[in-house]
Amino acid sequence: MNRAIKLVLKEGTTFDLYFFDCRVKRYNILSLADKYPQLYALEDRNLFLKGHLLGWSGVVWNDELDIDCDTVYEEGIDVTDEYDDVILVALGYNIKQLRIERNLTQEELAKLIGMDQADLSKLEKGLTNPSV
């Protein structure tokens, strides 16, 4: 199973998904509309912009509109080279998952590693480079 870790909603009905393996795939959800006509509802920009990750396994708009991440990974266009933060996002995701697995809060982990909690939050979100 391909784990998605970040969703970027683009123009129209296109979105990019960051994956755990440091790849980014672009997908136009309307490519499935002939098979699933209810997806045409996503032409409504306000509805499309409500899309979000459901855990790491899918993108969801509402109870009737969703897509699994494996489909995006297998059928999407690789656009990894368009992004320069892929490794940071994957690193932050891994840090957060390990912290959660060990039942630590950000504040507790930050104290353990001698880091400010706000800086750890930015690191987990892939917004900053870690210092050595």
Side-chain angles (χ1 to χ4, degrees):
M1 180 164 283
N2 298 295
R3 291 181 173 210
I5 57 176
K6 181 177 176 180
L7 170 66
V8 179
L9 299 170
K10 307 289 279 182
E11 295 296 319
T13 55
T14 300
F15 60 89
D16 293 349
L17 269 185
Y18 286 62
F19 286 90
F20 184 72
D21 68 355
C22 296
R23 292 190 188 278
V24 180
K25 299 285 185 129
R26 180 164 294 152
Y27 197 80
N28 185 336
I29 190 67
L30 288 189
S31 66
L32 296 172
D34 286 343
K35 189 173 181 181
Y36 304 104
Q38 66 269 30
L39 292 173
Y40 282 113
L42 293 173
E43 290 178 315
D44 176 340
R45 188 72 182 160
N46 290 326
L47 177 58
F48 181 75
L49 291 175
K50 292 180 182 179
H52 61 276
L53 282 175
L54 179 63
W56 44 260
S57 62
V59 180
V60 176
W61 288 271
N62 62 31
D63 290 342
E64 299 174 2
L65 304 172
D66 59 40
I67 186 169
D68 67 276
C69 292
D70 286 335
T71 299
V72 176
Y73 192 88
E74 293 164 10
E75 299 175 12
I77 299 166
D78 191 316
V79 294
T80 306
D81 291 343
E82 293 183 23
Y83 291 91
D84 58 2
D85 65 343
V86 178
I87 293 174
L88 288 178
V89 170
L91 175 64
Y93 174 84
N94 281 311
I95 290 169
K96 181 177 181 178
Q97 291 308 306
L98 291 169
R99 175 181 60 76
I100 291 169
E101 286 174 15
R102 286 162 177 76
N103 294 315
L104 294 170
T105 65
Q106 280 186 346
E107 188 172 284
E108 291 168 334
L109 179 58
K111 186 175 181 180
L112 284 170
I113 63 176
M115 177 183 250
D116 184 70
Q117 183 271 328
D119 291 334
L120 177 58
S121 175
K122 290 176 191 172
L123 184 60
E124 286 185 358
K125 293 176 183 175
L127 301 176
T128 187
N129 283 318
S131 62
V132 176

